[in-house]
Amino acid sequence: MFRSRWLAGLTVLAATVPLAAAAPAQAAIPLDQITVNTTQVAFGLQRPTAIAGIDNGRLLITEKLGIVRLYDPTTGLAAAPVLDIRSKIDTSGNERGLLGIATAPDFATSQNLYVAYTALPDGTLTLSRVRLGDPASEQVILTQAHSEFSNHNGGEVKFGGDGYLYWSLGDGGAADDPLASGQNLGTLLGKIVRLDVSRTCGTQAYCVPADNPFVGRAGARPEIWTWGLRNPWRFSFDTRAGGDNSLWIADVGQGTWEEVNHLDAAQGGANLGWSCREGRVVFNAERCVGGETYVDPTLVYQTSAEGCAVIGGFVYRGAQFADIAGGTYFATDYCSATFWGIRKLADGSHQTQKLNTPDIVQPTSLGVDSNGELYLVNDLPGQLHKISFGQVTPPAPCRVTYETQVWGTGFRATVKVTNTGPLPINGWTVGWTFSGPQRVGSSWNATITQSGAAVSAKNPGWNGTIAPGATAEFGFLGTPGGAQPAPAAFTLNGNTCG
């Protein structure tokens, strides 16, 4: 009864995320004007690790112990799980558990999920296919031994635009890559693999795509697509309308650099450097190979200074915030919760920007719903948040000086506003707030009004344009007398003066 009740509501539409309605491929506003906001929409999750979008904006959310929960934006987080595979999961160590989830392309009819987890009894990295609500249907697809250490398990599972399934595996754990996995093509550790799970080949529950980069190479595992990774906890493909099917990989750093890598859809075989390199610098020269090409990350930031573990996200292709965030990749960090934005430019280069820090802690994973809107789960708080985007107005390109001198029983003020930008200012209004009981009396070269402590000075008709580098000057007489501290800040045409 449990299975039929839940599955009846989950078979209506395909699980693969549909293409978004027409939206700008890339938003026009500057990257440094984007703000990221989060709104809590559910709580009560137990260490959530991954999100998969299905139909009607609904989400499947994995919990580390081995449970999958359903979130419906109209009814909230369901109390009962839609899948429970706790009996299979090794949760020893902080990083083990049920780590990743992807819906099959034919989910609407098959109800098949692909899940990545660490298996009992010794943490074997496991990729399997299981029908929603039916743990007994599980079929193990591929495994990789991982008994030496409990950390660096990777765990992301995603279908690419080519229809193949990709799975990320960490380097084997501990620190410094003690198993030397990153640069070893004979192991799946420290790699992203690419599989055709629509077919079987021999005794394998999958086939290796013929165009995988290491097919036929002696000593190399043919499943490997990308190598030289430390702990690729989260990756995603830009497969929605306007996207280019490229691969974004967030690789958790050793202790100095967190990094995000961006690979073209056809860039199979890319070596991202670990453990020869961390970020863009050499980490262990003994692991470097002469003549090997290492692909530089698109974004790096300092571990311990700006975070501790990068949490990869998605390129935003939804409609709700397309004018602000369209075409922008967003990532965050487990410790700092700060967001970063990345845009690929027309010439193939990238623009990166550190953004704001929303009021959340311990983000573990981002997800995208069927409408292309982004969500986030956080670890110990066990919350689900919807992500939205806003725009901050940049400081106006101006500089204001404010000088006063005693004038009888009052004071005389001289205000100068300089245009520090490259374009002329056509019409200006300078605003400020007094810190005390000051009142404006007569004025010159501006029309000044005051409401309470707030003051506004507008240009006269004959002096409304300030050329780049030029200065407009005005003044007034005010009361009371004595020392007059300058206002703390000024605005020009409503924007804070830079």
Side-chain angles (χ1 to χ4, degrees), residues 223-258:
E223 299 92 345
I224 294 171
W225 180 253
T226 303
W227 58 312
L229 292 153
R230 182 176 180 272
N231 189 24
W233 166 244
R234 289 292 167 252
F235 67 82
S236 66
F237 290 94
D238 186 10
T239 55
R240 295 181 65 86
D244 56 5
N245 296 323
S246 59
L247 173 60
W248 294 83
I249 308 167
D251 197 14
V252 179
Q254 168 73 25
T256 304
W257 297 107
E258 305 296 314

Side-chain angles (χ1 to χ4, degrees), residues 443-449 456-460:
S443 61
W444 54 92
N445 293 346
T447 300
I448 300 181
T449 58
S456 179
K458 182 176 176 56
N459 67 273

Side-chain angles (χ1 to χ4, degrees), residues 12-94:
V12 179
L13 296 174
T16 50
V17 177
L19 296 180
Q26 184 165 300
I29 74 164
L31 191 56
D32 61 1
Q33 293 182 26
I34 294 177
T35 59
V36 182
N37 310 300
T38 57
T39 302
Q40 181 181 310
V41 294
F43 64 94
L45 294 160
Q46 301 299 311
R47 304 205 72 181
T49 52
I51 303 170
I54 54 173
D55 58 272
N56 299 327
R58 296 189 293 177
L59 307 172
L60 298 175
I61 304 171
T62 59
E63 295 180 331
K64 188 172 287 188
L65 289 176
I67 285 175
V68 179
R69 307 276 296 277
L70 174 69
Y71 169 77
D72 188 317
T74 61
T75 59
L77 182 67
V82 292
L83 183 68
D84 186 342
I85 56 171
R86 283 177 288 184
S87 62
K88 308 289 184 69
I89 308 297
D90 181 356
T91 57
S92 62
N94 182 55

Side-chain angles (χ1 to χ4, degrees), residues 29-39 311 313-314 316 321 324-325 328-333 337-343 353-360 363 366 374-376 385-392:
I29 74 164
L31 191 56
D32 61 1
Q33 293 182 26
I34 294 177
T35 59
V36 182
N37 310 300
T38 57
T39 302
I311 304 297
F314 295 83
Y316 180 80
F321 304 101
I324 298 175
T328 306
Y329 172 86
F330 294 94
T332 185
D333 185 276
T338 298
F339 271 77
W340 280 262
I342 306 175
R343 284 179 179 165
Q353 180 68 45
K354 183 177 180 180
L355 304 175
N356 61 301
T357 302
D359 187 18
I360 55 170
L366 277 70
L374 299 185
Y375 286 79
L376 174 151
H385 298 260
K386 187 172 184 181
I387 295 174
S388 59
F389 300 97
Q391 181 178 3
V392 293

Side-chain angles (χ1 to χ4, degrees), residues 228-411:
L229 292 153
R230 182 176 180 272
N231 189 24
W233 166 244
R234 289 292 167 252
F235 67 82
S236 66
F237 290 94
D238 186 10
T239 55
R240 295 181 65 86
D244 56 5
N245 296 323
S246 59
L247 173 60
W248 294 83
I249 308 167
D251 197 14
V252 179
Q254 168 73 25
T256 304
W257 297 107
E258 305 296 314
E259 64 181 82
V260 174
N261 303 272
H262 185 206
L263 303 177
D264 292 338
Q267 207 171 343
N271 186 344
L272 303 183
W274 179 256
S275 54
C276 160
R277 305 197 312 173
E278 180 189 14
R280 301 187 179 110
V281 300
V282 171
F283 176 81
N284 184 346
E286 294 181 357
R287 301 271 171 82
C288 300
V289 177
E292 180 65 46
T293 299
Y294 302 108
V295 178
D296 277 337
T298 299
L299 166 72
V300 295
Y301 65 90
Q302 285 190 288
T303 306
S304 300
E306 297 179 278
C308 71
V310 62
I311 304 297
F314 295 83
V315 175
Y316 180 80
R317 297 289 181 189
Q320 188 174 359
F321 304 101
D323 56 335
I324 298 175
T328 306
Y329 172 86
F330 294 94
T332 185
D333 185 276
Y334 180 82
C335 287
S336 69
T338 298
F339 271 77
W340 280 262
I342 306 175
R343 284 179 179 165
K344 184 177 180 179
L345 304 179
D347 63 1
S349 64
H350 293 81
Q351 179 189 11
T352 66
Q353 180 68 45
K354 183 177 180 180
L355 304 175
N356 61 301
T357 302
D359 187 18
I360 55 170
V361 296
Q362 296 182 332
T364 51
S365 190
L366 277 70
V368 60
D369 71 7
S370 57
N371 301 311
E373 302 305 325
L374 299 185
Y375 286 79
L376 174 151
V377 287
N378 51 3
D379 189 8
L380 295 177
Q383 301 161 341
L384 174 68
H385 298 260
K386 187 172 184 181
I387 295 174
S388 59
F389 300 97
Q391 181 178 3
V392 293
T393 303
C398 62
R399 181 178 64 253
V400 174
T401 62
Y402 181 89
E403 300 174 347
T404 63
Q405 56 189 161
V406 175
W407 185 267
T409 58
F411 67 96

